[in-house]
Amino acid sequence: MKIYNVILSGGVGSRLWPLSRKQHPKQFLKLFSGKALFELTAERNQKVVDQIMVVGNTDHIEWSRQLLNEISIPKTFITETAARNTAAAIAFAALAVEPDDILIITPSDHLIQNQEAYEKAIKEAVELAKKDFLVTFGVVPSKPETGYGYIEYEGKDVLSFREKPNTETAQEFLERGTFLWNSGMFCFKAGVLLEELKNYQSEVFDKCHEAWKISENECLNLDASLQIPSISIDYAVMERSKRIKVVPAHFRWNDLGSFESLYDYLRSAGHSVDENGNMVIGTEIFTAFVGLKDSILVHTPDALLILHKEKSQDVKKVYNQLEKYKSTLR
């Protein structure tokens, strides 16, 4: 039995546009003491696993290889030629190893602090995975966050999964103390995951199996990949299986899925803000905010974004417009 860290490296980070672009997504932005989130993910996990496996798309897989040059443990790279969401990406990872091997699934773009608490949670999850459970990691919430999904739990048992709540509901979740943030991290045996995928989403399982059989050098066939239904692992398996457990995690976690979360991180790291909480990202040009509070100016060579911090989730709408018109700025 080997333990793999499967790093999922898809997506474009549309809520961090214009810093994050299709060809330069947020996991590769070197904003964290000169390192990218992708690098930090691999470094964090090399201490607790035997091998690293990256599942990424054609545009980014070589970038992933370069960033992992200094990681000494064995590495495998699976190239997706078409994005088919997390159920397919994780299925390919499971098909690439032995059924009893354990997969620790981590997104490549999350910031996690407190290595000791992280390793403790991973060890708990691995022990549960050895008993054929599918394990999800739930982060103990520190505030009524509306940008995350939630897990209702009791001990290690999952009672329900909840979609991103409104502010009032998020506050209620926090006060009740029986809810965790859904981190998007998982741990299970490869064979157990495939069994459950076959049970609950047989078409996804079959199409992934067909695509994997005709893959060459861990690169998926495009035509076969396009036949796979696009669905997340949450909807496909985790919210339906009877074999789910949760590990309540006490490490500091941030998915950096918005400028509000990036703002909070940068401010805690000493990035300057003015007396009204306004922040400039990406330029040293003198910038003055008049009559504005808690606003962010984001500067890149070809685009400017100005937003109120609490409207960070709406940045995706800008990206979607650029995508709709096939703009070179996306």
Side-chain angles (χ1 to χ4, degrees):
M1 184 201 77
K2 291 181 180 177
I3 300 176
Y4 289 79
N5 172 210
V6 179
I7 302 177
L8 304 180
S9 185
V12 296
S14 56
R15 289 183 180 87
L16 287 185
W17 182 91
L19 290 181
S20 182
R21 308 290 181 98
K22 187 168 281 190
Q23 296 302 319
H24 196 175
K26 68 173 178 174
Q27 63 265 31
F28 299 129
L29 297 174
K30 289 184 174 284
L31 295 174
F32 309 92
S33 302
K35 291 192 175 182
L37 291 170
F38 183 92
E39 293 173 271
L40 296 178
T41 301
E43 289 175 4
R44 177 168 60 248
N45 286 289
Q46 70 173 330
K47 302 173 183 178
V48 292
V49 301
D50 302 306
Q51 293 196 37
I52 286 176
M53 180 185 296
V54 178
V55 184
N57 63 38
T58 309
D59 292 333
H60 305 148
I61 205 74
E62 285 307 317
W63 209 335
S64 302
R65 289 181 197 274
Q66 292 169 21
L67 286 175
L68 295 189
N69 270 342
E70 295 182 14
I71 301 290
S72 58
I73 64 174
K75 299 174 285 287
T76 303
F77 298 86
I78 295 175
T79 305
E80 290 187 293
T81 49
R84 307 314 290 160
N85 216 318
T86 53
I90 293 169
F92 292 136
L95 289 164
V97 301
E98 296 299 319
D100 281 339
D101 288 340
I102 288 177
L103 308 180
I104 297 167
I105 311 293
T106 62
S108 60
D109 54 2
H110 292 182
L111 182 68
I112 291 174
Q113 294 160 296
N114 191 337
Q115 181 72 20
E116 185 178 344
Y118 180 78
E119 291 182 14
K120 181 176 183 292
I122 292 292
K123 287 173 183 175
E124 281 186 48
V126 167
E127 290 307 308
L128 288 167
K130 287 178 180 177
K131 298 174 183 175
D132 291 348
F133 289 112
L134 303 179
V135 185
T136 184
F137 294 82
V139 177
V140 178
S142 57
K143 60 180 181 178
E145 175 61 60
T146 60
Y148 304 148
Y150 283 73
I151 299 168
E152 185 180 11
Y153 78 109
E154 184 177 336
K156 295 286 194 298
D157 295 327
V158 174
L159 303 181
S160 68
F161 289 87
R162 304 293 184 90
E163 295 294 328
K164 297 173 183 178
N166 58 30
T167 303
E168 184 179 338
T169 304
Q171 183 63 45
E172 181 190 334
F173 287 171
L174 190 66
E175 290 170 359
R176 285 171 62 179
T178 56
F179 287 84
L180 303 165
W181 288 335
N182 189 347
S183 70
M185 294 169 48
F186 311 102
C187 179
F188 33 65
K189 285 181 183 175
V192 173
L193 181 279
L194 290 173
E195 283 175 22
E196 294 296 88
L197 183 62
K198 189 173 184 179
N199 286 341
Y200 294 105
Q201 284 287 335
S202 58
E203 185 182 5
V204 175
F205 173 85
D206 291 340
K207 297 296 186 184
C208 285
H209 194 260
E210 291 169 17
W212 183 251
K213 280 194 300 185
I214 60 172
S215 65
E216 296 182 11
N217 301 316
E218 284 78 47
C219 182
L220 278 303
N221 178 276
L222 176 59
D223 291 336
S225 295
L226 290 172
Q227 302 305 310
I228 301 169
S230 179
I231 185 171
S232 73
I233 195 66
D234 295 88
Y235 291 139
V237 174
M238 302 305 290
E239 296 182 11
R240 304 171 72 182
S241 173
K242 309 302 182 193
R243 303 165 85 167
I244 305 296
K245 295 290 182 183
V246 64
V247 170
H250 295 270
F251 47 77
R252 291 179 61 193
W253 172 87
N254 192 328
D255 79 343
L256 292 172
S258 70
F259 275 109
E260 183 171 18
S261 56
L262 181 59
Y263 174 104
D264 291 342
Y265 166 76
L266 291 174
R267 187 168 189 171
S268 71
H271 194 96
S272 64
V273 296
D274 70 13
E275 66 275 14
N276 292 312
N278 300 305
M279 177 182 286
V280 176
I281 299 174
T283 181
E284 297 299 318
I285 296 172
F286 173 76
T287 305
F289 295 84
V290 178
L292 296 174
K293 283 187 174 183
D294 297 326
S295 296
I296 307 170
L297 182 144
V298 185
H299 178 280
T300 68
D302 59 355
L304 282 174
L305 174 70
I306 303 163
L307 68 149
H308 281 294
K309 181 159 63 79
E310 66 270 18
K311 295 292 186 180
S312 291
Q313 295 294 334
D314 291 342
V315 173
K316 186 174 183 178
K317 295 176 183 177
V318 179
Y319 180 87
N320 288 343
Q321 281 293 104
L322 296 172
E323 180 74 14
K324 180 180 178 180
Y325 295 109
K326 310 291 186 196
S327 170
T328 56
L329 294 174
R330 67 206 152 110

